[in-house]
Amino acid sequence: MAAKKHRLFHAFRISRKLVLLSGGFLLVLGVSGTAALVFAPAHLIPGYEEEITGSCKTVYRSDFRRGEETRLISIISTPDPNPNDRVRTGMRIARHLAETEHPDLVIVQVMDAHGPTQRSELRGPAIGAEIVHAPNPSKTMATSRPWEVRYVQALPTGAGLFFGSRVDMRLIELEAINREIELAEGCDGDIVDEEAATVSQKEPAKSSGH
């Protein structure tokens, strides 16, 4: 499993290094002349599957104006089922958009990779997390804080929908996550499907409470 320790969620996982060292050590003890297996790639160890997080795809993106403000909304999908991974991915994309597009406000909504694909359905239970980022809060009327994040405390259903209680995160938690994000990169090259190409509009997509 990937080595991660999120102080925010206090979730502890077995580190990849520990899996490799312990697995290789047992192989050495059990079979003579196999010391080289200690350094074998993880995927060669039977039953080992590396957890890949942070992958995402841009489903919809729109930039618009609200008065004198420039705002950008992006809806992304990710195979990451856990709320903490959805939040980290969403915050990474929000910061990437802020640093490359320079809007006054960025809204990133995170849905599951198996969620609905129709534009009219990208709302309500389809949204597992919502990130609002204002690089300079004094330039927007939407928020007075640099980060606002809320997520659904639940794993996605088989249809990629989220049903559970909503959690609003504290700013101190969000600032800690932001400091841990080293590379603010886009979604898999930020290639947007033609039908979901960037458009201009007056109003952002509705999140229906998310």
Side-chain angles (χ1 to χ4, degrees), residues 27 42-48:
L27 287 172
H43 67 274
L44 296 182
I45 300 177
Y48 179 87

Side-chain angles (χ1 to χ4, degrees), residues 35-68:
L37 289 178
V38 174
F39 305 101
H43 67 274
L44 296 182
I45 300 177
Y48 179 87
E49 292 183 3
E50 182 179 4
E51 181 180 356
I52 301 176
T53 60
S55 174
C56 62
K57 176 182 179 181
T58 301
V59 178
Y60 174 85
R61 177 177 154 183
S62 174
D63 61 289
F64 56 96
R65 296 190 66 86
R66 175 66 63 85
E68 298 299 319

